Amino acid sequence: MPDYDFHQLSPYDLELLVRDLLQAHWQVTIESFKTGRDGGIDLRYAMGPQKTIVQVKHYLRTGLSGLLRDLENEATKVRRLQPSRYLLVTSLQLTPANKDAVVKTIGADALKTNDVLGAEDLNNLLGQYPAVEGRHYKLWLASRAVLDRVLHNAAMTRSEFKAQQVYEKAKRYVASAAYPQALKMLIDERVVVIAGPPGVGKTTLADLLLYEHLEKGYQAVVIQRDIEEGEQLFQPGLRQIFYFDDFMGATFLGDRAGVHAGSNDRALLNFIAMVRASPTARMVLTTREHVYSQALSRSERLRHSDLGDLRVFLNMPSYDRMQRARILYNHLHFSDLPDAYRDELLRGDFYLKIVKHDKFNPRVIEWLSSYRRLRSIQVEKYRGFVQSLLHDPSEIWRHAYERELTDAGRSLLLALYSLGGKCAGDRLTQSFAALHQLRADRYGFQTRPEDFALAIREVANSFVKPSGPHGFEVIDPSVLDLMNAVVLESPDNAVDLFSGATGFDQVEHLWTFAKADETGAIRATLRRDAARIAQRIGEVAVIDRRIDMGNGSIAFRGPTFEKRLAIIVHMAEQLSSTGIDALVALVFARLLKEWETERPDINDAVELHRALDRTNSLLCQDAISMQAIIEAAILEEASSGCRADELRELISVVDTSDHAHTNVLTARAGFDCYRRDYFRDDLRECRSREQFDGLIEDLELFRDELGVDVSHLIESVEQAKSEYEEHEDAYVDHMQDEWKERYGIERDADRNIAEMFGSLKADRG
């Protein structure tokens, strides 16, 4: 019979184990059923009028005294629920006298002695249902009995130390589809390669596979430097498991890489073949995905091997909300965090923000739950620290970016960053080529024709993932956080990016970041090298927007020329550069040429007008002259028809004080077109009280500034608003049924998560 003490399970893990054991024993389906925090029900089975309720109590910290203390409060709740049968299950060792004390506390009328189950009873059920035991990995992987067997089989000091480490990790492990997949690969093929980006749990998964084999009598060989260590210790006929964490990094990025890479890959593949040929050998390897791709690009021998067929890939999306919650819960339950820190995460359900955060990562969770790292953080500042860590977990990626990527890999990430983190493949190819050559010339490294293909393989599935049929985007938002930090800390990168831009959209993105730099370090560096970047900015600023798509259709790319000029005016103001100043006239001339064939963009032109109004870098007369031309262009455009938002923006920069002035008369013509062609569309698109009210405010503005009659239009809006309000309940029901269903599911999940985290406050001395 098994002999577990269940200390390795959290309260939630114990509840799931009890549910599965009772389901197997009773041959029924038991539901987790909670009526609210401390509501008195953990598990329930109902058949007709018969209702069985099961409560699961862990109480490893406070023991029997803590259990009896809390059961005094449970007695009233049990009677209120009036179950046909009530079971109390605990992980504590219970003597007959202990069970009698439990029954006495609850009351013999509600609880029978046979319905009090302790650790011995749970072990008895586990002996009867070994399949349940097998499914609950943590139960046996992290048990002390297994640790004793593991240490007995870990013959070498290094393996013993590793076993102790894994024993502690196993308590925090949350099972996912990756574990059985990797285990099956290891059993079927005898070798498994676990790959993925930093921080997703590759080493943890590999550790658990190693640990399970140690428990089954395998001797562990932990390889730290190169495959020769495994070759020297390989013994045919002996049950051995070879463990090589970050094997590609050790083989291809270490001090022996370079000249020895050819012999390294041959030795690696030969050893893998030897393990696969031995029925008593196993091998577990882990690698960061970008290093794996980099190694394949360097070695034809690896590319033509079957190594890829042995690969299990881990990625963040494999964790659903409940798995995320259990990862956080387990780390907190088994952490050394003082209760005051845990209470900060529980207060106001703050833990839900962590679980739902788009930058959730097991490595970040490990960090925020380690008191060793938090000793300097005061309790009242802990939540702020957690928020900052989630906001910018870029340190996860920094080492790989600085130490492990090639120059081509870094050029590719910088190019993708300048494009906003997502773009089409042909655009990335073009931007990479320009930037990579520029950086090679500046920093003295060599380039090769195949650098782009090699760089893509290097960063694919580690920093970058596919987007659409031919595009790419960053794999995680924290990659952009890293690139922000890279540019902030080394502003020369910003100079490179401006100098290597192939489109003005890159200039727009980079300037948006540069002007928001509170330290001003980026702007100071750009100011220093303004003459160098001005030429390139001027070249991309005048590139045509119009694209002939064939079959008579056209498309437009990049920011409008109005927006381009507004950005250049702002850059000239901030950088105090004659080179940038000179671009204003150049791009203004290009804008006028554009207006010969294309219609002005009213909103962007208004923003340009405002930029000229604020600037001190241009001669006053030049700015006034440009503003006059812009006003005339947007007034003419508006007179032939414009939307309400465009007319509103136009009025904000045009003098409308004299209703008889030509400007006002032209704007009125634009309003007449709006009333005839666009008003009904705006009215139909109103979907809330705020939108109806906003439309009325626009109409009142037109009345006051242009002297036009809008009374009938306002009546139409108010009538539509009244009809909307009358039917709002039915409208909301119709439009939100699907949302309500989805929200209900999410709400139930949040409630289950809340119940789980509520147990963190229980069992305190």
Side-chain angles (χ1 to χ4, degrees), residues 237-257:
L238 182 66
R239 298 218 297 179
Q240 291 178 296
I241 181 164
F242 297 87
Y243 177 99
F244 199 171
D245 194 22
D246 193 25
F247 79 105
M248 285 294 191
T251 304
F252 292 93
L253 296 181
D255 55 10
R256 299 184 61 195

Side-chain angles (χ1 to χ4, degrees), residues 410-444:
R410 284 189 285 273
S411 292
L412 189 141
L413 288 180
L414 284 166
L416 184 59
Y417 166 75
S418 73
L419 292 160
K422 182 177 181 179
C423 68
D426 57 348
R427 185 68 202 284
L428 183 59
T429 304
Q430 179 191 30
S431 300
F432 166 83
L435 178 64
H436 190 48
Q437 188 60 58
L438 182 146
R439 295 179 73 241
D441 294 341
R442 187 175 185 187
Y443 304 117

Side-chain angles (χ1 to χ4, degrees), residues 731-742:
Y731 173 80
V732 169
D733 288 344
H734 173 71
M735 295 298 292
Q736 295 191 352
D737 277 348
E738 182 178 342
W739 176 84
K740 287 178 179 179
E741 181 179 354
R742 182 170 66 251

Side-chain angles (χ1 to χ4, degrees), residues 55-288:
Q55 279 198 287
V56 184
K57 304 288 186 180
H58 214 0
Y59 287 84
L60 288 176
R61 293 186 177 92
T62 56
L64 182 64
S65 61
L67 175 64
L68 294 175
R69 178 191 63 205
D70 277 12
L71 286 181
E72 292 176 1
N73 299 323
E74 296 292 339
T76 302
K77 297 174 187 175
V78 172
R79 287 174 174 76
R80 184 180 70 244
L81 293 169
Q82 297 182 332
S84 305
R85 183 182 180 187
Y86 172 63
L87 273 77
L88 192 288
V89 183
T90 178
S91 58
L92 298 174
Q93 300 273 351
L94 297 179
T95 65
N98 296 152
K99 290 189 176 185
D100 290 341
V102 169
V103 171
K104 182 178 179 181
T105 302
I106 293 292
D109 60 318
L111 179 63
K112 309 303 179 187
T113 304
N114 290 340
D115 288 335
V116 178
L117 307 183
E120 302 87 346
D121 304 296
L122 291 177
N123 278 305
N124 180 37
L125 288 171
L126 285 167
Q128 295 179 50
Y129 305 103
V132 174
E133 180 184 20
R135 288 199 304 271
H136 287 261
Y137 307 116
K138 283 175 58 179
L139 176 68
W140 45 272
L141 277 175
S143 74
R144 289 196 176 100
V146 168
L147 177 63
D148 290 341
R149 292 197 296 274
V150 165
L151 292 177
H152 177 75
N153 294 320
M156 291 163 285
T157 302
R158 190 187 299 167
S159 299
E160 291 179 359
F161 178 70
K162 186 67 179 176
Q164 291 280 7
Q165 285 183 314
V166 179
Y167 172 69
E168 291 300 321
K169 282 185 179 180
K171 292 184 288 189
R172 297 172 176 82
Y173 178 63
V174 173
S176 69
Y179 183 85
Q181 180 187 0
L183 182 59
K184 185 176 188 303
M185 179 75 74
L186 193 56
I187 292 171
D188 294 345
E189 304 294 340
R190 302 189 183 124
V191 174
V192 64
V193 178
I194 302 169
V200 295
K202 301 183 297 295
T203 300
T204 298
L205 177 56
D207 286 348
L208 294 171
L209 294 171
L210 168 73
Y211 198 80
E212 178 177 353
H213 280 71
L214 287 173
E215 189 270 335
K216 293 178 178 177
Y218 281 76
Q219 179 195 81
V221 179
V222 179
I223 301 171
Q224 289 188 325
R225 180 172 171 77
D226 56 42
I227 209 67
E228 290 179 6
E229 296 177 43
E231 292 172 342
Q232 293 169 3
L233 294 170
F234 183 85
Q235 298 182 48
L238 182 66
R239 298 218 297 179
Q240 291 178 296
I241 181 164
F242 297 87
Y243 177 99
F244 199 171
D245 194 22
D246 193 25
F247 79 105
M248 285 294 191
T251 304
F252 292 93
L253 296 181
D255 55 10
R256 299 184 61 195
V259 68
H260 296 293
S263 59
N264 286 345
D265 61 10
R266 184 187 303 110
L268 173 66
L269 293 174
N270 287 343
F271 187 74
I272 288 175
M274 187 164 60
V275 169
R276 296 186 70 186
S278 172
T280 59
R282 300 281 190 275
M283 189 172 190
V284 179
L285 308 105
T286 74
T287 179
R288 290 153 291 172

Side-chain angles (χ1 to χ4, degrees), residues 583-612:
L583 297 179
V584 175
L586 173 71
V587 181
F588 187 67
R590 182 64 183 83
L591 172 62
L592 296 181
K593 182 180 179 183
E594 181 80 358
W595 283 350
E596 292 175 3
T597 56
E598 306 297 339
R599 302 171 64 177
D601 184 294
I602 294 177
N603 287 340
D604 286 350
V606 168
E607 187 54 42
L608 171 58
H609 189 288
R610 291 182 180 133
L612 289 167

Side-chain angles (χ1 to χ4, degrees), residues 80 105 320 334 360-361 581 621 651 680 695 739:
R80 184 180 70 244
T105 302
D320 60 28
F334 292 108
F360 181 97
N361 185 293
D581 289 349
Q621 191 58 44
I651 289 172
R680 287 297 170 188
L695 182 54
W739 176 84

Side-chain angles (χ1 to χ4, degrees), residues 706-738:
L706 302 179
V708 294
D709 182 9
V710 298
S711 56
H712 293 302
L713 301 184
I714 290 178
E715 287 177 7
S716 297
V717 177
E718 289 177 337
Q719 181 180 353
K721 178 184 176 183
S722 177
E723 292 173 358
Y724 168 82
E725 290 173 338
E726 288 179 8
H727 299 92
E728 186 177 20
D729 290 340
Y731 173 80
V732 169
D733 288 344
H734 173 71
M735 295 298 292
Q736 295 191 352
D737 277 348
E738 182 178 342

